[in-house]
Amino acid sequence: MVGSASAYALVMSGVGREIVLVDLNRALSWTRRKLRLRGHWSLADYAKSKVQGAASFISGFERAVARYGEALRVDGVICGHIHTPAVKRLDRVLYLNCGDWVDNCTAIVEHLDGRMELVRHVLGGSEPSAPKDELAEEVTG
């Protein structure tokens, strides 16, 4: 069962962003707002998708965190170090990554009934774009 009453607490966090990338992303976001371009676009997401090996790194990180959670006999792990939002089951462990608020505008919410949900904030009051499948996922215990 996933929720407050379960052995769910393995929380990992870290400051793993490059200052240069964040500053460039802010400048690009400002420019996009001034040009009235709709929707959210993240330089960090673009760079990660284009750099060969990033997907391998992310997958390896997720598997390592899940193995560690399994060794601790917890139901799930929540982390956000790699800024890649995800909710998925890796063997017996539920892996949740909140992404980050700066680049992805994502967070994990635990509902009163114990459901965990990855949510995305839409900037500027624009219409939400179709969420990525992994961002629309809800997990119930």
Side-chain angles (χ1 to χ4, degrees):
M1 176 176 158
V2 174
S4 300
S6 65
Y8 195 77
L10 174 63
V11 178
M12 299 183 164
S13 64
V15 180
R17 67 180 88 121
E18 294 290 330
I19 299 301
V20 172
L21 196 57
V22 171
D23 289 343
L24 281 172
N25 196 53
R26 282 188 188 128
L28 286 171
S29 292
W30 180 85
T31 303
R32 288 177 58 80
R33 277 193 307 275
K34 292 298 176 191
L35 295 174
R36 299 181 188 270
L37 297 174
R38 297 180 73 131
H40 176 73
W41 185 83
S42 168
L43 176 61
D45 285 348
Y46 178 78
K48 278 190 270 185
S49 71
K50 296 300 177 189
V51 174
Q52 188 165 7
S56 175
F57 169 78
I58 292 167
S59 177
F61 176 83
E62 292 171 346
R63 286 191 313 272
V65 169
R67 278 194 309 269
Y68 186 62
E70 198 168 300
L72 292 176
R73 300 175 118 170
V74 297
D75 295 323
V77 293
I78 301 173
C79 59
H81 184 74
I82 58 173
H83 296 228
T84 303
V87 175
K88 57 180 132 183
R89 184 153 300 280
L90 298 172
D91 295 324
R92 294 191 314 254
V93 175
L94 180 63
Y95 172 86
L96 298 104
N97 191 309
C98 61
D100 66 289
W101 198 248
V102 175
D103 295 323
N104 295 294
C105 299
T106 54
I108 293 176
V109 175
E110 181 177 10
H111 296 272
L112 292 175
D113 63 2
R115 285 178 298 124
M116 303 296 282
E117 181 182 7
L118 185 57
V119 295
R120 179 184 296 267
H121 176 71
V122 178
L123 297 173
S126 63
E127 290 297 314
S129 59
K132 296 179 185 177
D133 289 343
E134 68 270 17
L135 296 182
E137 194 168 342
E138 272 189 24
V139 178
T140 57

